[in-house]
Amino acid sequence: LTREGNGPVLIGKDTRLSGYMFESALEAGLSAAGADIRLLGPMPTPALAYLTRNTRAQAGIVISASHNPYEDNGIKFFSSDGRKLPDEIELAREEEMEKPLALSESGRLGKARRMADAPRRYIEFCKSRVDAGGGFDDLHLVVDCANGATYRVAPKVFRELGAKVDVIGASPDGFNINDGCGATDPALLCKTVVKKRADLGIALDGDGDRLILVDDTGTVVDGDEILYVIAKYRRASLNGAVVGTQMSNLGLEQAILALDMDFHRARVGDRYIMEMLARENLKLGGESSGHIINLNLSCAGDGIISALQVIEAMTAAGKSLRDLKHGMTKYPQKLMNIKLQNRLDMSSYPELNDVVKEAELELGGGGRVLLRPSGTEPLLRIMVEGEDEAKVDALVQSLVSRVETVLQKAV
């Protein structure tokens, strides 16, 4: 990243208190390396992806820990085309951090400026992604911004498209991001939708890339159901298939197959969904957590644009979200975690494969069992899914005991 490169580096952040510190450090480091910088302030992660590509920037950087509490923070990088960097480049970047910083001479230091029109650019981009056609005018929405990066832009998008909008979770103070609000905790949104007699509740997470919805009865609608609604409405433009993950509900897979489309499972994580979409020349994918990617509309997962797609489907069909999600029946699914001392290499424990096979036999072919090490924490995640909720609950408890026994024997 240098001044001789193709454009500046964009830096955005969410609303965590520590974002100021990281922003200043990145500004100083990039300037010292000779790169020009554009500071966007609090902006959603997908906005950085869009603006990096749209403004022909060298790269985009987002300071955010997404759906995590305020104590956490992190840094996400986007290439000039608005895509997250692949694993091998991420690892190479981490290795470079161990090396001495190369400084530019004083006459070649980078310059930093504010990009004051960034919110308006992104708002107009979001509005252009759907054919509103006046269909939003009769809608009453409640939007929960999670006290995060969407608090300045999300309400304006929906209001400017004509909807009546009540807003919660839009008073960030540096500490309350994702705290009792947003996509990770939609309980307040459920109550507010019922109290306000709204048509729909929209819950975004701290950096705006995830979406959870609440229908008019106050019932939570998760990412699998959102993916189904979008796939059913936009089926003709999706190249015949949808991408989920290993954690996607079996009911979603069956519902997509019933639409005469294929269903592929990627590793958990939006970057792996993106990789599979590119590899298979597909357009739509997503996670149960509400991270939805439609490459026909955006180069990244975007909670606001995902919500707009669902609303467009509602207005086109003249139906509520409660009606639109009919056609997909979720299987009971239970997830438990085993804490580990260190990261786990599954290949070192072949006995775990036998444990999984035995559990699948107990389900009788009517469900799934998955053991997956967490990608961010020293945890082993155990997921059981099946038709009988009581059997699923009992089996996941039994699996925890069996897996712990295998791991203890290996110590």
Side-chain angles (χ1 to χ4, degrees):
L1 299 175
T2 65
R3 185 176 295 173
E4 287 75 18
N6 298 319
V9 178
L10 308 188
I11 301 177
K13 60 182 180 179
D14 63 24
T15 56
R16 293 163 216 269
L17 184 64
S18 58
Y20 292 99
M21 175 183 67
F22 282 102
E23 182 183 51
S24 296
L26 283 167
E27 179 184 354
L30 288 166
S31 175
D36 288 335
I37 304 127
R38 298 292 179 267
L39 300 170
L40 279 64
M43 285 290 287
T45 290
L48 263 291
Y50 162 68
L51 290 168
T52 298
R53 184 176 65 175
N54 182 256
T55 63
R56 298 182 181 274
Q58 287 191 68
I61 301 175
V62 182
I63 304 161
S64 176
S66 190
H67 55 282
N68 291 347
Y70 87 91
E71 296 93 341
D72 300 329
N73 216 333
I75 299 173
K76 304 176 185 180
F77 289 83
F78 290 97
S79 63
S80 58
D81 62 359
R83 302 288 177 90
K84 286 185 178 178
L85 302 179
D87 286 347
E88 57 270 20
I89 296 180
E90 292 273 8
L91 293 172
R93 188 193 68 206
E94 290 177 6
E95 291 177 1
E96 288 294 321
M97 292 175 65
E98 302 298 323
K99 300 178 182 179
L101 179 65
L103 303 179
S104 296
E105 59 185 72
S106 58
R108 301 181 66 83
L109 296 175
K111 297 179 180 179
R113 298 175 184 168
R114 291 280 169 189
M115 184 183 281
D117 63 345
R120 175 47 53 186
R121 287 191 188 209
Y122 177 62
I123 289 168
E124 293 302 325
F125 169 70
C126 289
K127 289 163 56 181
S128 73
R129 299 296 87 188
V130 293
D131 180 13
F136 286 47
D137 293 350
D138 297 325
L139 281 176
H140 181 185
L141 310 176
V142 181
V143 179
D144 184 347
C145 299
N147 292 313
T150 63
Y151 82 100
R152 294 190 300 173
V153 295
K156 292 181 180 179
V157 170
F158 298 109
R159 282 175 177 148
E160 291 180 16
L161 286 169
K164 175 184 177 182
V165 180
D166 289 306
V167 184
I168 60 176
S171 301
D173 61 9
F175 304 96
N176 59 1
I177 186 171
N178 301 313
D179 185 10
C181 58
T184 54
D185 192 350
L188 176 59
L189 179 62
C190 293
K191 294 177 183 178
T192 307
V193 166
V194 173
K195 180 180 178 181
K196 298 286 188 178
R197 297 183 178 180
D199 299 300
L200 184 69
I202 297 169
L204 303 161
D205 71 338
D207 74 331
D209 60 2
R210 295 189 183 194
L211 169 73
I212 295 295
L213 295 175
V214 173
D215 71 19
D216 59 323
T217 68
T219 301
V220 172
V221 178
D222 71 7
D224 286 343
E225 294 167 302
I226 293 169
L227 193 59
Y228 169 68
V229 169
I230 294 173
K232 183 165 63 171
Y233 176 65
R234 294 181 174 270
R235 178 172 47 180
S237 65
L238 301 180
N239 293 356
V242 173
V243 175
T245 74
Q246 295 170 333
M247 298 299 293
S248 297
N249 195 278
L250 186 57
L252 171 63
E253 180 176 349
Q254 294 178 343
I256 295 297
L257 294 175
L259 293 175
D260 198 25
M261 302 176 72
D262 293 330
F263 186 77
H264 303 294
R265 291 183 184 270
R267 292 170 59 188
V268 175
D270 62 292
R271 71 169 65 243
Y272 303 114
I273 294 173
M274 186 71 77
E275 287 176 3
M276 183 169 285
L277 289 173
R279 184 169 65 249
E280 303 294 332
N281 190 30
L282 299 175
K283 301 300 180 182
L284 181 66
E287 298 184 279
S288 309
S289 61
H291 200 127
I292 310 295
I293 302 169
N294 187 342
L295 294 180
N296 286 324
L297 301 180
S298 179
C299 61
D302 191 312
I304 295 175
I305 290 176
S306 296
L308 290 173
Q309 292 176 78
V310 173
I311 294 172
E312 185 179 16
M314 290 169 57
T315 57
K319 295 181 178 180
S320 68
L321 176 58
R322 176 166 35 95
D323 293 329
L324 283 184
K325 67 180 183 180
H326 286 165
M328 174 185 162
T329 302
K330 291 170 64 178
Y331 276 53
Q333 188 182 86
K334 186 78 172 182
L335 178 68
M336 294 189 71
N337 296 323
I338 295 178
K339 290 186 178 181
L340 306 170
Q341 294 297 321
N342 300 293
R343 295 286 179 88
L344 181 69
D345 181 2
M346 292 284 289
S347 63
S348 300
Y349 299 89
E351 300 94 333
L352 293 178
N353 293 327
D354 297 331
V355 171
V356 171
K357 290 177 182 178
E358 292 171 7
E360 288 175 338
L361 287 174
E362 292 182 46
L363 287 172
R368 296 190 304 130
V369 177
L370 179 67
L371 268 60
R372 182 181 70 87
S374 168
T376 58
E377 304 171 82
L379 297 173
L380 178 64
R381 305 195 190 281
I382 299 177
M383 187 275 288
V384 178
E385 188 175 63
E387 298 173 343
D388 186 324
E389 187 168 5
K391 181 180 285 187
V392 167
D393 287 342
L395 186 53
V396 77
Q397 295 286 351
S398 172
L399 263 174
V400 168
S401 178
R402 294 185 219 174
V403 170
E404 287 179 338
T405 298
V406 170
L407 297 179
Q408 288 168 3
K409 285 181 178 178
V411 175

